[in-house]
């Protein structure tokens, strides 16, 4: 089954403790992206990747890092999480990121930073 | 800077009604517009994608229209069912690889 998976689905952590949220897709997609969703603000793009080793900032990249060493994986790294990073995070992918393509989303990771 | 607005924020309708969800955007220079459905715990599912050169797209009971000049899109749902209850999001692509989402309309269809 074609899908985007995220782990963990739920995470509670404390300020300053480094964490990684994994994202994996099995569709051989070149384009992957991370979003955060907050009440009243909608989804906002954090980072995206056009292909292996190629990444770029979205609208809200501060406090986040990403890497794309393999085509199928695009982990999101919070080196020193803060409470304002408490949010619902989504990973998405599409074949090449072109405007004619649909994005496929993972189920989301709910993060609480205390 | 592109901004996407969805009105209303929430909507309750009785089963069987036809309904329209609205999406407006401030910059008409878009590549495409997509409508998504979001169910709790299940992420987002793409419903319809309209390219900038198109006026509308249809899928089953859903019809989405796009008017770039006025910065508006509508999602029409015919003969609504309780299973249509979800949050509906629109998103515009104003440049390659980048997407701007609206805040969504939370729809509840009452049986």
């Amino acid at each position: 089954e074609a899908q985007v998976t995220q782990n963990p689905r739920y995470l509670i952590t404390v300020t300053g403790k480094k964490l990684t949220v994994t994202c994996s897709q099995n569709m051989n997609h070149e384009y992957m992206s991370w979003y955060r969703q907050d009440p009243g603000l909608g989804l906002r793009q954090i980072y995206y990747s056009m292909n292996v080793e190629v990444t770029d900032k979205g609208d809200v990249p501060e406090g986040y890092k990403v890497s794309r060493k393999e085509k199928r994986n695009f982990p999101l790294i919070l080196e020193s999480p803060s409470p304002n990073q408490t949010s619902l995070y989504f990973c998405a992918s599409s074949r090449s990121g072109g405007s004619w393509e649909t994005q496929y989303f993972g189920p989301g990771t709910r993060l609480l930073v205390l | 800077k592109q901004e996407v607005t969805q009105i209303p924020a929430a909507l309750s309708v009785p089963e069987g009604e036809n309904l329209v969800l609205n999406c407006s955007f401030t910059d008409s220079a878009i590549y495409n517009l997509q409508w998504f459905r979001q169910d709790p715990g299940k992420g987002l599912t793409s419903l319809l994608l309209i390219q900038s050169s198109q006026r509308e797209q249809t899928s089953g009971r859903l019809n989405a229209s796009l008017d770039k000049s006025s910065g508006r899109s509508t999602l029409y749902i015919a003969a609504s069912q309780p299973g249509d209850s979800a949050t509906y999001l629109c998103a515009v692509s104003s440049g390659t690889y980048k997407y701007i989402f609206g805040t969504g309309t939370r729809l509840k269809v009452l049986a």
Side-chain angles (χ1 to χ4, degrees):
Chain A
E1 178 191 355
Q3 60 182 350
V4 179
T5 56
Q6 296 178 226
N7 282 292
R9 296 287 312 279
Y10 304 92
L11 180 59
I12 301 174
T13 189
V14 295
T15 299
K17 186 175 182 181
K18 180 179 179 179
L19 66 91
T20 299
V21 183
T22 65
C23 172
S24 183
Q25 49 90 9
N26 63 0
M27 296 169 278
N28 201 36
H29 284 170
E30 293 182 350
Y31 175 86
M32 298 184 75
S33 182
W34 276 103
Y35 297 87
R36 60 178 289 174
Q37 186 177 35
D38 302 288
L41 297 176
L43 273 82
R44 293 177 293 168
Q45 197 166 24
I46 303 171
Y47 270 96
Y48 59 93
S49 170
M50 296 78 88
N51 212 328
V52 174
E53 302 290 6
V54 184
T55 64
D56 204 352
K57 297 177 180 178
D59 292 320
V60 288
E62 295 78 19
Y64 304 94
K65 283 179 58 178
V66 293
S67 68
R68 187 92 180 273
K69 293 183 170 49
E70 304 169 281
K71 199 171 188 179
R72 65 182 293 124
N73 296 322
F74 190 42
L76 180 69
I77 302 159
L78 285 71
E79 297 245 339
S80 183
S82 62
N84 64 13
Q85 293 179 297
T86 292
S87 188
L88 178 58
Y89 291 86
F90 288 101
C91 179
S93 74
S94 69
R95 193 171 62 82
S96 67
S99 66
W100 58 93
E101 296 172 356
T102 257
Q103 288 192 82
Y104 296 84
F105 280 77
T109 294
R110 191 168 292 279
L111 172 65
L112 173 62
V113 183
L114 301 173
Chain B
K1 180 182 174 183
Q2 178 74 271
E3 293 182 1
V4 181
T5 304
Q6 291 185 248
I7 294 173
L11 181 64
S12 286
V13 300
E15 182 177 6
E17 271 206 7
N18 302 324
L19 58 100
V20 174
L21 306 181
N22 296 296
C23 172
S24 61
F25 46 95
T26 55
D27 185 348
S28 62
I30 64 170
Y31 285 15
N32 69 40
L33 183 144
Q34 295 190 54
W35 282 93
F36 292 87
R37 169 182 173 140
Q38 183 176 13
D39 294 284
K42 292 187 178 180
L44 281 71
T45 302
S46 178
L47 298 172
L48 291 164
L49 184 155
I50 312 176
Q51 299 293 343
S52 63
S53 59
Q54 298 173 320
R55 298 285 297 210
E56 66 176 338
Q57 283 284 344
T58 297
S59 176
R61 293 183 294 109
L62 305 179
N63 176 276
S65 67
L66 174 63
D67 184 344
K68 277 181 55 179
S69 60
S70 67
R72 295 182 62 184
S73 175
T74 60
L75 178 66
Y76 175 82
I77 303 177
S80 59
Q81 304 169 357
D84 294 330
S85 298
T87 297
Y88 290 82
L89 299 163
C90 69
V92 301
S93 172
S94 293
T96 306
Y97 308 124
K98 302 193 75 170
Y99 299 87
I100 307 295
F101 280 78
T103 52
T105 294
R106 190 169 63 254
L107 172 66
K108 187 167 186 178
V109 181
L110 306 170

